[in-house]
């Protein structure tokens, strides 16, 4: 196995242990089988370990996922109702690749864009030829690397928006990961604007 396939397998094991198959309403074996083609495709890849394995919302709806994150045994939480969370949809150009799972390559919490209004940070990310992360991708960071919220910073997820223009955010609150939202013209000293270099579905490895 390559470093990338080993990393993706480790991340798959983690979300299975956290109960993602239950959220998807299927057995753990069936859930794992859906990720197998992508992990197999990574065996000849030189991507390395700087990847995130992300299940699409068609497989795992995002509403309950923050509660499956934790830091120092403090479970993640949100005060937003499920309908509100579901309203944060990927924006044009930031839709996930086809398939139940895909990869985010070189994810960052966006420390270099900290304390920037989302609309301003969006332009900066574009000019730096990077891609803003979506809600699902931010939840994947909080699930796979919750320590980043402590060691780096919380972050806005500019790849997703609700109909009223808000963008989702994840940060530390009450010693636990919290999912919330901010307005596009607001700035917060504790929030970066998360980004990645690329997204890759299984079809891009053939």
């Amino acid at each position: 196995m390559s470093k990338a396939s080993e990393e993706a397998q480790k991340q798959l094991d983690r979300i299975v242990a956290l109960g993602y198959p239950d959220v998807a309403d299927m057995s753990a074996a069936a859930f794992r089988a859906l990720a197998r083609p992508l992990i197999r495709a990574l065996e000849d890849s030189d991507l390395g370990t700087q990847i995130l394995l992300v299940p699409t919302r068609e497989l795992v709806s995002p509403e309950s996922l923050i509660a499956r994150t934790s830091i120092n045994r403090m479970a993640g939480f949100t005060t937003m109702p499920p309908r509100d969370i579901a309203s944060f949809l990927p924006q044009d150009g930031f839709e996930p690749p086809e398939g139940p799972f895909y990869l985010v390559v070189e994810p960052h919490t966006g420390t270099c864009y900290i304390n920037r209004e989302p609309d301003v940070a969006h332009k900066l990310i574009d000019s730096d030829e990077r891609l803003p992360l979506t809600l699902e991708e931010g939840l994947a960071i909080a699930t796979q690397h919750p320590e980043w919220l402590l060691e780096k910073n919380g972050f806005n997820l500019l790849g997703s928006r609700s109909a009223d223009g808000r963008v989702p955010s994840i940060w530390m609150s009450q010693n636990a990961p919290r999912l919330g939202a901010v307005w596009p013209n607001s700035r917060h000293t504790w929030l970066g604007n998360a980004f990645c270099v690329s997204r890759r579905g299984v079809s891009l490895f053939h």
Side-chain angles (χ1 to χ4, degrees):
M1 296 179 76
S2 68
K3 289 183 178 180
S5 61
E6 288 180 357
E7 178 65 23
Q9 183 63 55
K10 182 177 76 172
Q11 294 187 21
L12 176 63
D13 291 344
R14 181 172 176 81
I15 61 176
V16 168
L18 289 172
Y20 275 46
D22 293 337
V23 180
D25 195 24
M26 63 178 64
S27 69
F31 189 84
R32 288 181 180 278
L34 292 175
R36 195 169 298 132
L38 180 57
I39 293 176
R40 188 179 298 129
L42 284 171
E43 291 177 359
D44 297 321
S45 167
D46 59 357
L47 280 179
T49 60
Q50 299 302 306
I51 57 174
L52 272 180
L53 180 69
V54 184
T56 61
R57 69 167 55 202
E58 287 74 23
L59 177 61
V60 180
S61 59
E63 295 92 317
S64 65
L65 299 187
I66 191 66
R68 294 173 188 271
T69 69
S70 65
I71 294 179
N72 299 326
R73 299 186 179 181
M74 297 289 288
F77 71 100
T78 184
T79 59
M80 295 191 296
R83 181 183 296 181
D84 210 9
I85 298 170
S87 73
F88 292 102
L89 300 175
Q91 297 301 286
D92 290 345
F94 309 125
E95 300 91 346
E98 289 186 15
F101 289 91
Y102 67 98
L103 294 179
V104 164
V105 180
E106 295 185 31
H108 295 264
T109 60
T111 308
C112 56
Y113 306 115
I114 207 163
N115 197 25
R116 294 278 193 173
E117 298 90 337
D119 281 350
V120 173
H122 204 309
K123 294 176 182 177
L124 293 171
I125 290 172
D126 285 347
S127 67
D128 291 336
E129 298 184 344
R130 295 164 168 170
L131 300 171
L133 296 192
T134 65
L135 169 62
E136 289 84 353
E137 294 158 1
L139 287 166
I141 286 182
T143 301
Q144 301 292 347
H145 302 289
E147 71 280 1
W148 288 8
L149 290 166
L150 289 171
E151 298 169 0
K152 299 182 180 183
N153 51 269
F155 45 84
N156 297 320
L157 298 158
L158 307 184
S160 297
R161 284 205 184 204
S162 64
D164 61 12
R166 289 173 301 151
V167 299
S169 308
I170 299 175
W171 69 94
M172 287 294 294
S173 177
Q174 301 174 42
N175 297 315
R178 177 177 180 175
L179 173 63
V182 300
W183 292 103
N185 59 352
S186 62
R187 65 164 63 186
H188 299 83
T189 57
W190 63 90
L191 292 178
N193 290 274
F195 65 90
C196 66
V197 172
S198 65
R199 298 178 174 89
R200 299 188 65 174
V202 65
S203 64
L204 296 178
F205 291 95
H206 298 303

